[in-house]
């Protein structure tokens, strides 16, 4: 049986692009969101992908495009391990192609596609970046694949979710973004928006897919990744993003990404 493996690394050829590869894994990732576009290429096993109140079973050959900031979950659909690849593309990278192709940025926050040609092209680009990241044509190959993806995103969307949010949810999110590395109590959030704490938690979870404290944890992990990319030692990152100590950061970072902060830093 093939050994389970999770890899996460940054491209040397294309600035800001990160890649991951999950092979034969049973790891159950908590609900994440990314500060980049995420392109998920599903290779084997059945994955239950959920966003908002909708869910879809991803089969081999499925392509998922997830917008920045979208809370989602990816869980095994049965007892079989999962294998998939992901491309994490900066907002500017994708937005530039949308502008060039005349596409609107207001299309669905999540798109699921079944397109064998596009899947093959994106998988080939990912594999090329994995084994030959210094290859001169890597950026060209990926650019052509992204152009194909962006060109189809409106026409081939499988389902849409209304992602409008109440004003108090935006206020809470903005507050947590501004104070992600501080201790924020539920009572504090309730005072900010003038709502009952119980209602606040229920409303936030219903809209965002996770309670406020879990959202703040994901923000901390996102900022930790940025600091690690900038060369900050893992031991310093924990305090900077608000975790109690390095072991706390390591445990939650690995739970969320599948690798430790030290492994992630070495992969950059």
């Amino acid at each position: 049986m093939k050994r389970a493996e999770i890899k996460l690394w940054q491209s040397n050829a294309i600035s800001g692009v990160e890649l991951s590869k999950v092979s034969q894994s049973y790891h159950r990732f908590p609900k994440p969101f990314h500060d980049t576009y995420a392109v998920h290429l599903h290779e084997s096993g059945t994955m239950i992908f959920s966003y908002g109140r909708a869910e879809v079973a991803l089969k081999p050959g499925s392509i998922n495009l997830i917008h920045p900031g979208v809370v989602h979950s990816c869980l095994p659909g049965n007892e079989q391990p999962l294998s998939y690849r992901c491309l994490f593309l900066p907002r500017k990278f994708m937005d530039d192609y949308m502008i060039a192709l005349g596409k609107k940025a207001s299309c669905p926050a999540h798109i699921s596609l079944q397109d064998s040609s596009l899947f093959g092209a994106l998988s080939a680009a990912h594999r090329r970046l994995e084994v030959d990241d210094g290859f001169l044509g890597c950026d060209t190959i990926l650019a052509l694949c992204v152009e194909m993806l962006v060109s189809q995103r409106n026409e081939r969307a499988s389902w849409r979710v209304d992602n409008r949010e109440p004003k108090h949810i935006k206020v809470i999110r903005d507050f947590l973004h501004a104070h992600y590395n501080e201790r924020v109590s539920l009572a504090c959030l309730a005072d900010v928006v003038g709502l009952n704490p119980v209602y606040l938690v229920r409303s936030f979870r219903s809209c965002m897919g996770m309670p406020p404290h879990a959202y703040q944890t994901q923000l901390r992990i996102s900022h930790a990744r940025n600091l690690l990319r900038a060369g900050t030692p893992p031991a310093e990152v924990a305090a900077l993003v608000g975790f109690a100590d390095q072991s706390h950061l390591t445990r939650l970072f690995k739970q969320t990404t599948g690798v430790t902060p030290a492994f992630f830093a070495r992969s950059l």
Side-chain angles (χ1 to χ4, degrees):
M1 179 181 293
K2 187 177 180 181
R3 183 172 62 89
E5 180 184 35
I6 299 176
K7 292 175 61 179
L8 179 64
W9 71 99
Q10 189 171 39
S11 169
N12 293 319
I14 310 173
S15 177
V17 171
E18 287 185 3
L19 306 98
S20 70
K21 176 184 175 183
V22 176
S23 303
Q24 298 296 303
S25 175
Y26 292 95
H27 186 82
R28 300 178 71 88
F29 293 93
K31 284 185 174 181
F33 58 84
H34 309 290
D35 55 6
T36 62
Y37 286 90
V39 182
H40 173 107
L41 307 170
H42 199 64
E43 295 182 327
S44 69
T46 299
M47 174 185 285
I48 303 301
F49 176 90
S50 64
Y51 158 58
R53 298 179 181 178
E55 67 177 34
V56 61
L58 300 181
K59 302 292 184 180
S62 296
I63 305 168
N64 257 10
L65 172 62
I66 308 163
H67 281 219
V70 174
V71 177
H72 58 281
S73 67
C74 305
L75 299 174
N78 49 39
E79 298 302 317
Q80 298 299 313
L82 300 176
S83 295
Y84 52 91
R85 296 170 181 268
C86 287
L87 291 156
F88 300 100
L89 308 176
R91 292 172 187 255
K92 188 176 186 306
F93 189 95
M94 289 289 287
D95 291 347
D96 285 349
Y97 280 99
M98 283 187 277
I99 292 172
L101 295 169
K103 301 295 182 180
K104 296 180 179 179
S106 59
C107 61
H110 162 261
I111 293 174
S112 183
L113 303 171
Q114 283 283 349
D115 185 305
S116 58
S117 296
L118 180 55
F119 183 89
L122 286 166
S123 294
H126 192 290
R127 293 173 190 276
R128 169 67 77 175
L129 287 165
E130 180 181 11
V131 301
D132 192 11
D133 200 23
F135 176 59
L136 181 61
C138 280
D139 52 352
T140 302
I141 293 173
L142 183 57
L144 292 173
C145 292
V146 171
E147 182 176 348
M148 292 169 62
L149 179 61
V150 171
S151 294
Q152 297 188 43
R153 53 185 298 189
N154 283 342
E155 294 82 357
R156 304 292 294 279
S158 63
W159 45 269
R160 298 170 179 249
V161 177
D162 182 2
N163 63 349
R164 290 175 298 177
E165 62 185 14
K167 182 179 178 180
H168 69 273
I169 298 297
K170 184 180 186 307
V171 171
I172 293 171
R173 288 200 305 108
D174 289 346
F175 186 87
L176 291 174
H177 278 264
H179 302 275
Y180 71 90
N181 59 349
E182 301 174 17
R183 293 177 64 90
V184 178
S185 68
L186 181 58
C188 174
L189 290 179
D191 286 343
V192 168
V193 293
L195 292 174
N196 176 280
V198 175
Y199 173 79
L200 184 155
V201 171
R202 186 169 67 246
S203 176
F204 193 91
R205 184 196 295 270
S206 176
C207 187
M208 298 303 302
M210 59 174 63
H213 75 274
Y215 189 87
Q216 185 185 41
T217 296
Q218 289 298 312
L219 286 175
R220 289 176 173 179
I221 295 296
S222 179
H223 282 276
R225 291 173 69 156
N226 289 334
L227 288 169
L228 291 168
R229 292 184 192 112
T232 308
E236 297 179 20
V237 170
L240 291 172
V241 300
F243 286 117
D245 50 38
Q246 188 176 353
S247 64
H248 191 200
L249 165 67
T250 298
R251 177 172 60 82
L252 292 176
F253 194 95
K254 184 173 183 180
Q255 184 183 62
T256 301
T257 68
V259 300
T260 66
F263 182 93
F264 179 76
R266 289 196 300 270
S267 301
L268 300 176

